[in-house]
Amino acid sequence: MTGRMRTALRRFREKWRSYRHRFVPWVVFNLSKNEKTLRRVTEPSEDKVIPDEQVSQSLLGLFRALLRNSGGLLLGAHANFTPRFPLHQEQNEGDVLFQTLGFCIERRPSSLAFAGTGVFVTRGFVPKGATVAMYPGTIYQPYEPILLQSIRNPFVFRCIDGVLVDGNDRGISRMVFRSCSGRDRLGPYLTSDASWLTDSPLNPLAVGQYINNCSNERPANVCYQEYDVPDSFPLELRQYLPNVNYSQHCTQRPLRCVVLVSLRDIRAGEELFSNYYTIVR
Protein backbone atom coordinates (compact mmCIF):
# COMPACT_ATOMS: atom_id res chain seq x y z
CA MET A 1 0.00 0.00 0.00
CA THR A 2 1.42 3.37 -1.04
CA GLY A 3 1.77 6.35 1.28
CA ARG A 4 -1.00 8.18 -0.58
CA MET A 5 -3.40 5.26 -0.11
CA ARG A 6 -2.54 5.05 3.59
CA THR A 7 -3.25 8.76 3.99
CA ALA A 8 -6.60 8.45 2.18
CA LEU A 9 -7.57 5.43 4.29
CA ARG A 10 -6.66 7.25 7.50
CA ARG A 11 -8.75 10.25 6.52
CA PHE A 12 -11.69 7.99 5.66
CA ARG A 13 -11.50 6.25 9.04
CA GLU A 14 -11.36 9.57 10.90
CA LYS A 15 -14.36 10.91 8.94
CA TRP A 16 -16.32 7.69 9.52
CA ARG A 17 -15.69 7.76 13.27
CA SER A 18 -17.31 11.19 13.40
CA TYR A 19 -20.03 10.41 10.83
CA ARG A 20 -21.23 7.16 12.40
CA HIS A 21 -22.45 8.82 15.59
CA ARG A 22 -25.27 10.37 13.56
CA PHE A 23 -25.57 7.79 10.74
CA VAL A 24 -28.96 6.11 11.33
CA PRO A 25 -28.25 2.71 9.64
CA TRP A 26 -25.06 2.31 11.71
CA VAL A 27 -26.90 3.23 14.88
CA VAL A 28 -29.74 0.78 14.17
CA PHE A 29 -27.30 -2.03 13.32
CA ASN A 30 -25.51 -1.51 16.65
CA LEU A 31 -28.60 -1.24 18.85
CA SER A 32 -28.33 -4.85 20.00
CA LYS A 33 -24.78 -4.16 21.16
CA ASN A 34 -25.75 -1.01 23.02
CA GLU A 35 -28.98 -1.62 24.91
CA LYS A 36 -28.71 1.72 26.69
CA THR A 37 -29.11 3.51 23.36
CA LEU A 38 -32.60 2.09 22.84
CA ARG A 39 -35.91 3.21 24.35
CA ARG A 40 -38.74 0.76 23.70
CA VAL A 41 -42.35 1.84 23.17
CA THR A 42 -45.37 -0.32 22.32
CA GLU A 43 -47.26 2.34 20.33
CA PRO A 44 -46.14 5.42 18.36
CA SER A 45 -48.05 7.67 20.77
CA GLU A 46 -45.96 6.36 23.66
CA ASP A 47 -42.87 8.17 22.46
CA LYS A 48 -44.24 11.13 24.45
CA VAL A 49 -42.11 11.70 27.54
CA ILE A 50 -44.08 14.84 28.31
CA PRO A 51 -47.47 16.02 26.96
CA ASP A 52 -47.47 18.07 23.76
CA GLU A 53 -49.14 20.87 25.73
CA GLN A 54 -46.02 21.11 27.90
CA VAL A 55 -43.81 21.32 24.80
CA SER A 56 -46.05 24.06 23.41
CA GLN A 57 -45.87 25.98 26.68
CA SER A 58 -42.05 25.99 26.64
CA LEU A 59 -41.79 26.96 22.98
CA LEU A 60 -44.42 29.69 23.23
CA GLY A 61 -42.76 31.16 26.30
CA LEU A 62 -39.36 31.29 24.60
CA PHE A 63 -40.67 32.55 21.25
CA ARG A 64 -42.69 35.33 22.90
CA ALA A 65 -39.60 36.44 24.79
CA LEU A 66 -37.50 36.37 21.60
CA LEU A 67 -40.09 38.43 19.75
CA ARG A 68 -40.28 40.99 22.54
CA ASN A 69 -36.49 41.17 22.72
CA SER A 70 -36.32 41.89 18.98
CA GLY A 71 -38.84 44.72 19.32
CA GLY A 72 -41.72 42.79 17.73
CA LEU A 73 -45.32 42.92 18.92
CA LEU A 74 -47.50 40.08 20.14
CA LEU A 75 -51.09 39.90 19.01
CA GLY A 76 -54.24 39.57 21.10
CA ALA A 77 -54.37 37.09 23.97
CA HIS A 78 -50.86 35.87 23.21
CA ALA A 79 -49.44 39.08 24.69
CA ASN A 80 -49.94 37.78 28.24
CA PHE A 81 -46.68 36.14 29.23
CA THR A 82 -44.37 36.64 32.21
CA PRO A 83 -40.78 35.29 31.88
CA ARG A 84 -39.06 33.57 34.79
CA PHE A 85 -36.65 36.51 35.03
CA PRO A 86 -37.01 40.16 33.90
CA LEU A 87 -36.10 40.62 30.23
CA HIS A 88 -33.94 43.48 28.99
CA GLN A 89 -34.09 44.70 25.43
CA GLU A 90 -31.45 43.78 22.85
CA GLN A 91 -30.05 40.77 24.65
CA ASN A 92 -28.52 37.94 22.68
CA GLU A 93 -30.66 34.87 22.10
CA GLY A 94 -28.72 32.76 24.62
CA ASP A 95 -29.48 35.25 27.39
CA VAL A 96 -33.16 35.23 26.45
CA LEU A 97 -33.16 31.42 26.62
CA PHE A 98 -31.51 31.50 30.04
CA GLN A 99 -33.90 34.07 31.44
CA THR A 100 -36.96 32.31 30.00
CA LEU A 101 -36.26 28.60 30.54
CA GLY A 102 -33.40 28.77 33.03
CA PHE A 103 -30.57 27.26 30.97
CA CYS A 104 -28.34 27.80 27.92
CA ILE A 105 -27.12 25.28 25.35
CA GLU A 106 -24.31 25.73 22.83
CA ARG A 107 -22.46 23.80 20.14
CA ARG A 108 -18.92 22.86 21.16
CA PRO A 109 -16.38 20.13 20.34
CA SER A 110 -17.80 16.88 21.69
CA SER A 111 -16.26 15.12 24.67
CA LEU A 112 -16.83 11.87 22.76
CA ALA A 113 -13.76 10.80 20.78
CA PHE A 114 -14.08 11.38 17.01
CA ALA A 115 -17.68 12.61 17.36
CA GLY A 116 -16.99 16.12 16.07
CA THR A 117 -19.41 18.75 17.31
CA GLY A 118 -21.67 18.20 20.32
CA VAL A 119 -24.16 20.23 22.35
CA PHE A 120 -23.52 21.25 25.96
CA VAL A 121 -25.51 22.89 28.74
CA THR A 122 -23.36 25.94 29.37
CA ARG A 123 -25.38 27.82 31.98
CA GLY A 124 -28.17 27.14 34.40
CA PHE A 125 -29.98 23.91 35.20
CA VAL A 126 -32.21 21.65 33.08
CA PRO A 127 -34.89 19.84 35.12
CA LYS A 128 -36.16 16.41 34.13
CA GLY A 129 -38.93 16.66 31.54
CA ALA A 130 -37.83 19.97 30.02
CA THR A 131 -37.78 20.76 26.31
CA VAL A 132 -34.02 21.14 25.79
CA ALA A 133 -33.57 21.46 22.01
CA MET A 134 -35.26 21.24 18.62
CA TYR A 135 -34.17 19.22 15.58
CA PRO A 136 -34.25 21.69 12.68
CA GLY A 137 -34.62 20.86 9.01
CA THR A 138 -36.83 20.14 6.02
CA ILE A 139 -39.72 17.72 6.62
CA TYR A 140 -40.19 14.94 4.06
CA GLN A 141 -43.19 12.63 3.93
CA PRO A 142 -42.29 8.93 3.40
CA TYR A 143 -43.21 9.14 -0.31
CA GLU A 144 -41.21 12.28 -1.10
CA PRO A 145 -37.78 12.24 -2.82
CA ILE A 146 -34.74 12.69 -0.58
CA LEU A 147 -32.11 10.52 -2.29
CA LEU A 148 -29.80 13.33 -3.45
CA GLN A 149 -30.07 15.18 -0.15
CA SER A 150 -29.31 12.01 1.84
CA ILE A 151 -25.99 11.19 0.16
CA ARG A 152 -23.16 11.53 2.73
CA ASN A 153 -25.68 13.21 5.03
CA PRO A 154 -25.51 12.14 8.70
CA PHE A 155 -28.32 14.52 9.74
CA VAL A 156 -31.41 12.74 8.35
CA PHE A 157 -33.70 11.81 11.25
CA ARG A 158 -36.45 9.22 10.79
CA CYS A 159 -39.66 9.56 12.81
CA ILE A 160 -41.72 6.55 13.95
CA ASP A 161 -44.23 7.02 11.11
CA GLY A 162 -41.51 7.25 8.44
CA VAL A 163 -41.47 11.05 8.17
CA LEU A 164 -37.90 12.29 7.65
CA VAL A 165 -36.23 15.46 8.94
CA ASP A 166 -33.15 16.64 7.03
CA GLY A 167 -31.12 18.66 9.53
CA ASN A 168 -28.07 19.22 7.34
CA ASP A 169 -27.06 22.89 7.22
CA ARG A 170 -24.87 22.53 4.13
CA GLY A 171 -25.01 21.69 0.43
CA ILE A 172 -28.26 20.74 -1.29
CA SER A 173 -30.08 20.43 2.03
CA ARG A 174 -29.30 24.05 2.84
CA MET A 175 -30.59 25.28 -0.52
CA VAL A 176 -33.78 23.20 -0.28
CA PHE A 177 -34.64 24.59 3.17
CA ARG A 178 -34.06 28.20 2.13
CA SER A 179 -36.21 27.74 -0.96
CA CYS A 180 -39.10 26.12 0.92
CA SER A 181 -38.91 28.67 3.72
CA GLY A 182 -39.22 31.58 1.30
CA ARG A 183 -42.05 29.85 -0.56
CA ASP A 184 -44.25 29.53 2.54
CA ARG A 185 -44.03 33.15 3.66
CA LEU A 186 -47.46 34.69 4.37
CA GLY A 187 -47.29 38.36 3.45
CA PRO A 188 -45.15 40.08 6.11
CA TYR A 189 -45.01 36.92 8.23
CA LEU A 190 -42.26 34.34 8.06
CA THR A 191 -43.55 30.87 8.91
CA SER A 192 -40.17 29.29 9.58
CA ASP A 193 -36.69 30.19 10.78
CA ALA A 194 -33.76 29.72 8.41
CA SER A 195 -31.20 31.22 10.78
CA TRP A 196 -30.31 27.74 12.10
CA LEU A 197 -28.34 27.39 8.86
CA THR A 198 -25.91 29.98 10.26
CA ASP A 199 -23.63 30.05 13.29
CA SER A 200 -26.07 32.35 15.13
CA PRO A 201 -29.60 30.87 15.12
CA LEU A 202 -32.36 33.21 16.27
CA ASN A 203 -33.95 30.23 18.02
CA PRO A 204 -31.21 29.05 20.42
CA LEU A 205 -32.88 25.63 20.78
CA ALA A 206 -32.39 24.84 17.07
CA VAL A 207 -29.14 22.88 17.44
CA GLY A 208 -30.61 19.44 18.14
CA GLN A 209 -29.09 17.87 15.03
CA TYR A 210 -25.66 18.20 16.65
CA ILE A 211 -26.58 16.19 19.75
CA ASN A 212 -24.64 12.94 19.55
CA ASN A 213 -26.04 9.48 20.16
CA CYS A 214 -25.36 7.89 23.52
CA SER A 215 -23.32 4.77 24.17
CA ASN A 216 -22.92 2.25 26.97
CA GLU A 217 -20.25 4.54 28.42
CA ARG A 218 -22.26 7.74 27.89
CA PRO A 219 -25.93 7.03 28.73
CA ALA A 220 -28.64 9.25 27.29
CA ASN A 221 -29.78 12.31 29.19
CA VAL A 222 -32.23 13.48 26.49
CA CYS A 223 -34.54 11.71 24.05
CA TYR A 224 -36.37 12.58 20.84
CA GLN A 225 -40.07 13.36 20.90
CA GLU A 226 -42.21 14.07 17.86
CA TYR A 227 -44.35 17.18 18.09
CA ASP A 228 -47.00 18.31 15.61
CA VAL A 229 -47.47 22.06 15.78
CA PRO A 230 -51.14 22.79 16.64
CA ASP A 231 -53.25 25.04 14.41
CA SER A 232 -53.62 27.42 17.34
CA PHE A 233 -49.88 28.21 17.34
CA PRO A 234 -49.66 32.01 16.88
CA LEU A 235 -48.78 33.12 13.37
CA GLU A 236 -46.33 35.78 14.54
CA LEU A 237 -44.36 33.17 16.52
CA ARG A 238 -43.99 30.64 13.71
CA GLN A 239 -41.00 32.61 12.46
CA TYR A 240 -38.96 30.82 15.15
CA LEU A 241 -39.91 27.28 14.08
CA PRO A 242 -36.80 25.74 12.47
CA ASN A 243 -38.77 23.34 10.26
CA VAL A 244 -40.54 23.57 6.92
CA ASN A 245 -42.39 21.07 4.74
CA TYR A 246 -40.68 19.99 1.52
CA SER A 247 -43.98 19.94 -0.33
CA GLN A 248 -46.32 22.92 -0.38
CA HIS A 249 -49.27 20.50 -0.43
CA CYS A 250 -48.35 19.39 3.11
CA THR A 251 -49.21 22.79 4.56
CA GLN A 252 -52.75 21.51 5.18
CA ARG A 253 -51.47 19.08 7.82
CA PRO A 254 -49.78 20.05 11.11
CA LEU A 255 -46.10 20.87 10.78
CA ARG A 256 -43.96 18.06 12.20
CA CYS A 257 -41.24 19.08 14.60
CA VAL A 258 -38.90 16.95 16.68
CA VAL A 259 -37.86 18.16 20.12
CA LEU A 260 -35.42 16.71 22.62
CA VAL A 261 -36.65 16.24 26.19
CA SER A 262 -34.47 15.77 29.26
CA LEU A 263 -34.60 12.31 30.85
CA ARG A 264 -33.06 13.55 34.10
CA ASP A 265 -31.78 16.71 35.72
CA ILE A 266 -28.84 18.10 33.71
CA ARG A 267 -26.32 20.56 35.09
CA ALA A 268 -24.08 23.16 33.46
CA GLY A 269 -21.01 21.60 31.83
CA GLU A 270 -22.72 18.36 30.78
CA GLU A 271 -22.89 17.27 27.16
CA LEU A 272 -26.24 16.13 25.79
CA PHE A 273 -26.55 12.55 24.52
CA SER A 274 -29.69 11.17 22.91
CA ASN A 275 -31.20 7.73 22.40
CA TYR A 276 -33.50 6.22 19.79
CA TYR A 277 -36.87 4.59 20.29
CA THR A 278 -38.21 1.42 18.68
CA ILE A 279 -41.75 -0.01 18.61
CA VAL A 280 -42.09 -3.35 20.39
CA ARG A 281 -45.33 -5.26 19.74
Side-chain angles (χ1 to χ4, degrees):
M1 182 180 296
T2 65
R4 182 174 297 179
M5 292 178 64
R6 290 194 188 95
T7 300
L9 182 59
R10 186 179 67 254
R11 289 177 178 173
F12 172 79
R13 286 173 176 168
E14 291 174 353
K15 202 169 190 66
W16 168 245
R17 285 169 181 157
S18 174
Y19 179 85
R20 68 183 185 182
H21 291 286
R22 298 189 182 94
F23 185 52
V24 175
W26 182 87
V27 172
V28 173
F29 179 76
N30 284 274
L31 286 177
S32 60
K33 301 178 182 178
N34 298 282
E35 288 297 319
K36 293 181 181 178
T37 67
L38 193 61
R39 182 164 60 90
R40 291 179 170 82
V41 298
T42 57
E43 296 293 338
S45 60
E46 292 185 8
D47 84 297
K48 307 291 184 184
V49 178
I50 59 175
D52 282 349
E53 293 76 14
Q54 188 173 336
V55 176
S56 292
Q57 184 179 9
S58 296
L59 296 184
L60 288 172
L62 174 62
F63 293 176
R64 288 166 183 159
L66 289 170
L67 186 62
R68 278 202 176 97
N69 187 66
S70 68
L73 296 176
L74 295 169
L75 305 179
H78 304 302
N80 298 319
F81 167 69
T82 303
R84 293 179 58 181
F85 307 97
L87 284 174
H88 304 283
Q89 292 295 318
E90 299 183 358
Q91 294 178 312
N92 65 48
E93 289 75 17
D95 289 337
V96 175
L97 173 61
F98 177 70
Q99 295 189 4
T100 306
L101 300 184
F103 63 86
C104 277
I105 58 172
E106 293 180 14
R107 287 174 286 188
R108 292 183 177 179
S110 176
S111 60
L112 195 63
F114 305 107
T117 301
V119 177
F120 291 77
V121 177
T122 56
R123 278 196 290 167
F125 171 79
V126 180
K128 179 180 179 181
T131 301
V132 185
M134 301 185 71
Y135 199 104
T138 306
I139 309 299
Y140 292 83
Q141 299 303 313
Y143 53 84
E144 291 178 329
I146 193 176
L147 177 61
L148 288 179
Q149 298 91 311
S150 67
I151 295 175
R152 299 184 64 185
N153 184 354
F155 296 103
V156 178
F157 178 86
R158 185 182 187 278
C159 298
I160 288 181
D161 58 1
V163 170
L164 300 174
V165 186
D166 181 6
N168 194 355
D169 54 13
R170 299 180 181 181
I172 297 178
S173 301
R174 178 189 182 93
M175 292 187 290
V176 169
F177 189 95
R178 284 196 178 278
S179 175
C180 294
S181 179
R183 175 201 66 197
D184 292 346
R185 181 173 185 143
L186 295 175
Y189 293 105
L190 296 171
T191 57
S192 60
D193 173 25
S195 68
W196 67 272
L197 297 168
T198 72
D199 292 332
S200 302
L202 295 178
N203 175 0
L205 296 182
V207 293
Q209 79 275 34
Y210 283 102
I211 295 177
N212 286 303
N213 300 312
C214 66
S215 64
N216 283 331
E217 294 73 31
R218 301 291 182 89
N221 50 19
V222 297
C223 67
Y224 298 102
Q225 178 169 317
E226 296 166 22
Y227 167 74
D228 290 338
V229 179
D231 293 337
S232 60
F233 204 92
L235 177 60
E236 70 273 19
L237 298 182
R238 290 178 179 255
Q239 62 182 296
Y240 297 110
L241 292 172
N243 298 100
V244 65
N245 286 311
Y246 174 74
S247 173
Q248 190 172 19
H249 301 295
C250 291
T251 55
Q252 297 178 354
R253 69 179 68 189
L255 176 68
R256 170 66 52 82
C257 292
V258 175
V259 299
L260 289 105
V261 179
S262 55
L263 294 171
R264 61 169 175 81
D265 295 345
I266 307 173
R267 302 187 180 280
E270 290 191 65
E271 182 173 0
L272 302 180
F273 292 102
S274 62
N275 64 6
Y276 281 85
Y277 40 65
T278 185
I279 298 179
V280 179
R281 302 296 184 185

